[in-house]
Amino acid sequence: SNPQEALNRELVVAPPGFSLSYIGFNVEQAPFDDPKFRRALALSMNKKLIADQVLANLVVPATGILPPDFPGYDPIVQGPSYDAERAVGLLAESAYANNVPRIVITVPGTGGSVGLDLEVILETWRTTLGINVEIQQVEWATFLQDLNDKRLQAFAGLGWQADYPDPQDFLDILFHSESGINHGAYSNPAVDSVLEEARTEPDVLRRIELYHEAEQLIVDDAAWVPMWFTGDRYALVKPHVKGYVMTPMIVPKLKRIVIEG
């Protein structure tokens, strides 16, 4: 029989990991201080097509911030989905319609090529919106230092992975105006107040509703562009290996694995 088919029977598909990759914007720096400009960039990206054609469906396009199956996740929260016409219209309405300043996206790493997905996105921005974006690679230590000092105009090549399964771990930590790791200096008083209310809300369902509200405000604002929910999507597991479970959190649980035979 076809050896590929034999392998197919050993293929295990994982749930998307509780991690998210994204393009971050510093909203205190032009042109990212204009929400219309940010939304235009977000709307011009056909993430489904990129996942399909460029990334061999190894990632799941992110519409919101919270990953699927994560506590508090609700598919009702939808960020800007692909709409090139709307993107062009928003750019025309933005403060930078006729004078887009120089844009540099900083990524960690030296000398290697940047991700193919990022290259495709930059090409999309160029062809759809006429916006040229440069990429600057810097080594990790410098990248983290500049990120923490909010010196970067835009940044990519990093993700956020859940430390614990609660929406606070994504939404509050990354987007509250006073959070130390809100690297894009995003500040929205409405978001802050909802996040602060959620911190002490004892009713679980009401608390989750508050997080939906905050998440929707954040993606509407295009605070940054969520890209992919990542994680090991596929693994080959021999039939005699029992108890191998793919988990969406960071550490694989190996203690339950039994090898028979």
Side-chain angles (χ1 to χ4, degrees):
S1 75
N2 181 336
Q4 259 184 311
E5 283 171 22
L7 277 181
N8 257 337
R9 288 197 295 275
E10 298 170 5
L11 190 67
V12 178
V13 181
F18 288 159
S19 58
L20 168 70
S21 65
Y22 59 92
I23 297 175
F25 303 138
N26 186 327
V27 301
E28 289 184 340
Q29 293 192 27
F32 302 115
D33 54 349
D34 184 335
K36 286 185 172 172
F37 187 88
R38 301 195 301 265
R39 278 182 68 81
L41 293 183
L43 282 161
S44 67
M45 286 162 49
N46 190 341
K47 287 186 263 199
K48 189 169 168 4
L49 186 78
I50 298 171
D52 233 19
Q53 315 250 312
V54 180
L55 301 174
N57 267 327
L58 293 171
V59 293
V60 174
T63 48
I65 310 290
L66 298 179
D69 299 328
F70 192 77
Y73 168 78
D74 192 326
I76 217 164
V77 177
Q78 289 285 327
S81 57
Y82 176 62
D83 186 339
E85 225 172 292
R86 179 100 185 87
V88 171
L90 275 172
L91 179 63
E93 289 170 28
S94 79
Y96 301 101
N98 305 314
N99 56 338
V100 178
R102 178 170 180 244
I103 298 177
V104 179
I105 290 187
T106 306
V107 297
T110 43
S113 63
V114 302
L116 194 52
D117 54 347
L118 189 58
E119 285 182 14
V120 171
I121 286 160
L122 299 194
E123 183 57 24
T124 301
W125 288 345
R126 196 179 65 76
T127 53
T128 310
L129 301 172
I131 293 171
N132 289 303
V133 176
E134 300 163 46
I135 290 183
Q136 164 181 280
Q137 277 187 313
V138 296
E139 57 99 27
W140 260 109
T142 312
F143 179 80
L144 290 174
Q145 186 70 57
D146 287 347
L147 194 63
N148 288 328
D149 295 344
K150 298 185 171 56
R151 278 203 292 264
L152 302 177
Q153 182 192 20
F155 43 94
L158 78 174
W160 180 257
Q161 187 141 23
D163 296 304
Y164 45 91
D166 188 278
Q168 189 266 346
D169 185 46
F170 277 89
L171 303 174
D172 205 331
I173 283 181
L174 296 171
F175 298 103
H176 191 282
S177 64
E178 286 171 18
S179 166
I181 49 176
N182 174 351
H183 300 305
Y186 177 69
S187 175
N188 179 334
V191 170
D192 279 359
S193 87
V194 176
L195 290 172
E196 285 159 26
E197 193 184 329
R199 288 175 191 171
T200 54
E201 174 54 64
D203 177 332
V204 176
L205 293 176
R206 169 77 187 125
R207 185 169 175 266
I208 294 297
E209 256 174 36
L210 288 167
Y211 281 123
H212 291 163
E213 200 181 317
E215 184 180 12
Q216 189 63 63
L217 286 166
I218 291 161
V219 291
D220 284 348
D221 251 355
W224 37 249
V225 181
M227 303 256 289
W228 321 113
F229 296 120
T230 51
D232 299 318
R233 295 285 286 136
Y234 302 97
L236 289 168
V237 181
K238 286 285 178 199
H240 56 266
V241 176
K242 305 292 179 203
Y244 184 91
V245 179
M246 307 276 271
T247 57
M249 288 285 272
I250 303 168
V251 183
K253 309 284 187 283
L254 303 179
K255 68 180 179 189
R256 295 198 184 92
I257 294 180
V258 177
I259 295 176
E260 292 179 350

